[in-house]
Amino acid sequence: MAVLVAACFGGEAMGGVESGAKPAAGGAEMIFEKDVPIQVGDGAVLRANVYRPQQPGRYPVVMAMGIYGKDIHFADGYKLQWDVLKRIYPGVDTEGTSGQHLRWELVDPERWVPAGYVVVAVDSRGSGKSPGYLDPFSTRETQDYHDAIEWAGVQSWSNGKVGTIGISYYGIKQWQVASLRPPHLAAICVWEGGSDLYRDWSHHGGIFSHLFPTAWYPRQVLPNQHGNAATHYRERDTGQPNTGEPLSPAMLAGNRADHPRDLLEHPLDDAWYKSRSPNLPHIEVPLLSAGNWGGAGLHLRGNIEGFLRAGSQQKWLQLHIGTHFESFYLPEFIQRQQRFFDHFLKGEENGWDEEAKVRLYIRRPDGGAFRTEAEWPLARTEWTRLHLDAAGRSLKTAAPQAAAKVSYRPLGEGVSFSTEPFAQETEFTGPLKAHLWVSSSTTDMDLFVTLRLFDPAGEEVVFTGASDLTPVARGWLRASHRKQDAAMTQPYRPYHCHDEIQKLTPGEAYELDVEIWPTSIVCPPGHRLVLTIQGRDFEARDIPGRILHNSEADRPRAEFDGLCTILTGPEHDSYLLLPKIPA
């Protein structure tokens, strides 16, 4: 079905077939084709929405494929987030757009079609209007995406160059499909999307990230399952469910994977995960990777690792702040996305190739600003060790001369180590790690390591993050997963194999490195950094987070509620490695 809709100047949809539509006064127009069939390699048919310029011609394509519903308005599917976005940017659905085609984590066609693009949004197999077996992140879904890109590349309205764009799930799928090298894929723009299904999504440091995937699947995915007649979602233009012809409950259950159970039943980084994680060195197209400093546990590490490890010769990294969704929709960032694609999909000489490779928001307690850099980590980094002293609960540049230890119960407040107040403004930007000597009264222990900032009055500084309030940085490690991959590990960033479980001998000391996800923070004079080590999730200001690791099946109390000990001193040099940036 094709209709002509007024776009970009707040016009209303002008129902009816294309030939009967009339332009809105003063408004730009686009052709909207709904539920367009795309046949993929095994004969299955997916459904897509296609938005394209009214003027005949061949245009570059920006595409996304995912499981959140191509026909559900952002405000209807995610009202809480929509209200936040409207407070941040009231013009999101009024300035240059009617907002009627806004979808969660997807571009607004009314901002892209007038800029000379075709926008294609595809319901993944088993979701929305696309029949089939719903299996998030699966190889079949990724192959479907490959085939959809190739379909778009040969349509009469396409110039043969396809770019992919989208947040989170739509970002994760981009890393996956780009590693398959579809011939018509010309560039990718990955916004807050992990690139390692095990380390970024499922098991942080080997600890099962229970709450988010377990709640995410029934709350955000299953309402969009194809055939779900009980869905509470309705399409605004038709008033009908967005899930196609209804199926029986038994068929619905049989037509989907049990994703949370799959994650729990694969505690190691086995072939199941590897088939769902991209071969990053195989990616060759130009890429723009945008992560969130406040995205610990989901939307930070993968953007950095993807940028570093992708085989692309032309690649850029941006790290920003704020909620999970706001930056994607702000005009400043849309302009940046379009400049990137204008260069690689349209061939415009707009200076993008002269852009700095790295653009970082440098955080301060009272704000911050973007700064450009040439590489990651920053070449001028002064890698700084702050040694833990269990006797004084301190972090100091000088290593303690006497042995000491401190013990804590895993489910309590843990133990904290503090610096002295900074005498002068000090910046830390980059990767970091905790090198710790530990012991446990049981055969395993989980380490939740949190870097925090306190002002002179003793108040903690926290930031609005992608999922919740967030401290300066967080890291995780299950002690039995301490084995590292020597080829992948860097002095500042351990890379754990997660391919075997090495249990502890109770009471014996073990040396291990905890990967703390990267950060940027400027510490003003009088402020202190504090390293908190616990056996449970850190929750800022006692506000429950969304990225929690609280599965009883993964963390039975008998093994993970023993007495935990941190050892310090000459024979057990425990330290925090920080990326200090000279003034």
Side-chain angles (χ1 to χ4, degrees):
M1 178 177 68
V3 297
L4 187 65
V5 298
C8 291
F9 293 89
E12 295 296 324
M14 303 193 59
V17 297
E18 177 183 340
S19 59
K22 296 180 180 180
E29 294 171 346
M30 67 181 182
I31 296 171
F32 170 34
E33 297 176 288
K34 187 172 181 177
D35 297 334
V36 176
I38 301 176
Q39 184 169 322
V40 294
D42 67 347
V45 175
L46 310 181
R47 295 288 173 172
N49 287 348
V50 178
Y51 308 83
R52 53 191 177 89
Q54 180 193 12
Q55 183 67 30
R58 293 183 177 273
Y59 299 92
V61 180
V62 290
M63 173 181 278
M65 173 185 283
I67 54 181
Y68 293 150
K70 64 178 176 56
D71 297 308
I72 299 305
H73 195 279
F74 191 142
D76 298 337
Y78 297 85
K79 186 179 186 307
L80 177 63
Q81 292 86 343
W82 175 257
D83 291 344
V84 172
L85 180 58
K86 282 287 289 180
R87 288 197 298 270
I88 295 170
Y89 177 33
V92 66
D93 60 343
T94 59
E95 295 179 359
T97 176
S98 71
Q100 63 185 311
H101 296 285
L102 275 163
R103 304 293 184 259
W104 172 250
E105 299 186 339
L106 295 176
V107 300
D108 181 355
E110 293 181 89
R111 296 186 186 274
W112 284 78
V113 172
Y117 288 92
V118 174
V119 175
V120 179
V122 187
D123 280 332
S124 289
R125 184 183 298 235
S127 71
K129 301 288 183 59
S130 298
Y133 187 72
L134 177 62
D135 190 1
F137 309 110
S138 66
T139 53
R140 179 65 259 176
E141 182 188 52
T142 306
Q143 184 61 48
D144 287 345
Y145 201 172
H146 170 286
D147 297 348
I149 289 170
E150 291 307 290
W151 171 87
V154 298
Q155 297 305 300
S156 61
W157 33 255
S158 171
N159 74 350
K161 292 187 176 182
V162 179
T164 57
I165 188 170
I167 315 177
S168 192
Y169 194 93
Y170 298 103
I172 295 170
K173 292 308 301 183
Q174 290 183 67
W175 295 118
Q176 292 178 313
V177 74
S179 69
L180 298 185
R181 296 181 176 176
H184 287 94
L185 181 64
I188 64 175
C189 182
V190 184
W191 216 265
E192 299 194 25
S195 59
D196 184 320
L197 196 65
Y198 185 89
R199 292 165 182 81
D200 300 339
W201 170 261
S202 172
H203 286 73
H204 302 130
I207 308 168
F208 180 43
S209 179
H210 168 70
L211 180 62
F212 183 79
T214 301
W216 164 82
Y217 197 53
R219 184 175 62 217
Q220 291 184 243
V221 180
L222 296 189
N224 286 306
Q225 185 183 358
H226 178 76
N228 183 2
T231 184
H232 52 282
Y233 293 141
R234 293 293 183 273
E235 300 177 15
R236 286 190 173 187
D237 55 344
T238 67
Q240 297 299 309
N242 71 309
T243 51
E245 293 298 318
L247 297 173
S248 69
M251 283 293 288
L252 281 177
N255 278 5
R256 64 179 180 244
D258 187 340
H259 186 68
R261 185 187 66 189
D262 287 342
L263 299 177
L264 184 60
E265 290 182 350
H266 292 271
L268 297 177
D269 186 20
D270 56 20
W272 189 87
Y273 286 104
K274 292 189 185 304
S275 72
R276 289 164 169 78
S277 292
N279 178 356
L280 292 171
H282 210 241
I283 296 174
E284 60 184 1
V285 295
L287 68 90
L288 172 58
S289 177
N292 189 329
W293 286 129
L298 197 55
H299 296 303
L300 171 61
R301 180 188 182 278
N303 279 102
I304 295 173
E305 290 291 317
F307 165 77
L308 290 173
R309 295 173 55 200
S312 307
Q313 296 300 305
Q314 297 171 294
K315 52 186 178 179
W316 288 263
L317 175 68
Q318 171 185 293
L319 297 174
H320 52 257
I321 61 167
T323 66
H324 171 46
F325 44 84
E326 70 187 68
S327 64
F328 189 75
Y329 296 98
L330 296 177
E332 164 193 356
F333 296 101
I334 294 175
Q335 181 185 40
R336 188 166 173 81
Q337 296 158 7
Q338 290 183 348
R339 279 191 63 227
F340 170 73
F341 281 132
D342 285 349
H343 183 70
F344 289 109
L345 302 188
K346 295 181 180 179
E348 291 185 5
E349 295 298 331
N350 58 9
W352 180 267
D353 53 334
E354 302 297 325
E355 281 281 316
K357 295 298 183 183
V358 176
R359 184 172 184 255
L360 309 175
Y361 192 93
I362 307 303
R363 294 189 299 184
R364 297 173 177 269
D366 57 353
F370 275 106
R371 186 177 73 206
T372 58
E373 298 287 348
E375 71 288 304
W376 177 274
L378 308 190
R380 64 185 183 281
T381 302
E382 297 175 355
W383 298 103
T384 302
R385 290 188 181 188
L386 296 182
H387 300 269
L388 282 65
D389 186 350
R393 307 288 181 87
S394 62
L395 286 171
K396 295 182 177 179
T397 54
Q401 298 303 304
K405 60 184 179 180
V406 59
S407 298
Y408 61 93
R409 283 289 176 185
L411 301 183
E413 296 302 311
V415 59
S416 293
F417 301 82
S418 175
T419 67
E420 293 293 324
F422 287 95
Q424 59 188 19
E425 183 174 278
T426 307
E427 177 188 338
F428 300 101
T429 296
L432 53 163
K433 75 172 183 180
H435 179 86
L436 302 175
W437 282 88
V438 305
S439 68
S440 172
S441 64
T442 68
T443 58
D444 213 340
M445 63 186 290
D446 284 344
L447 292 119
F448 295 77
V449 178
T450 308
L451 186 62
R452 307 160 71 187
L453 181 67
F454 288 82
D455 68 16
E459 291 293 318
E460 183 168 7
V461 177
V462 294
F463 302 90
T464 298
S467 302
D468 46 34
L469 289 179
T470 182
V472 173
R474 281 186 269 200
W476 306 263
L477 183 64
R478 177 158 290 174
S480 61
H481 286 236
R482 63 192 178 276
K483 176 184 171 185
Q484 296 183 39
D485 183 328
M488 293 290 294
T489 292
Q490 299 290 342
Y492 47 79
R493 196 271 285 128
Y495 190 93
H496 297 95
C497 300
H498 301 298
D499 61 0
E500 65 174 308
I501 297 173
Q502 300 175 332
K503 293 292 187 180
L504 308 180
T505 299
E508 186 173 322
Y510 292 87
E511 184 179 21
L512 46 83
D513 287 316
V514 181
E515 177 187 8
I516 302 176
W517 286 22
T519 193
S520 177
I521 187 66
V522 175
C523 305
H527 286 60
R528 297 178 297 116
L529 283 176
V530 171
L531 186 71
T532 297
I533 303 172
Q534 299 170 276
R536 63 175 177 86
D537 287 288
F538 172 82
E539 297 179 68
R541 295 180 180 167
D542 298 321
I543 298 175
R546 296 182 67 205
I547 310 299
L548 298 180
H549 307 73
N550 52 4
S551 167
E552 285 284 346
D554 181 62
R555 287 164 42 85
R557 281 179 174 262
E559 187 164 28
F560 291 95
D561 195 20
L563 189 67
C564 299
T565 301
I566 306 297
L567 300 91
T568 65
E571 294 184 5
H572 301 103
D573 185 17
S574 296
Y575 61 84
L576 172 66
L577 183 68
L578 288 172
K580 182 179 178 180
I581 307 303

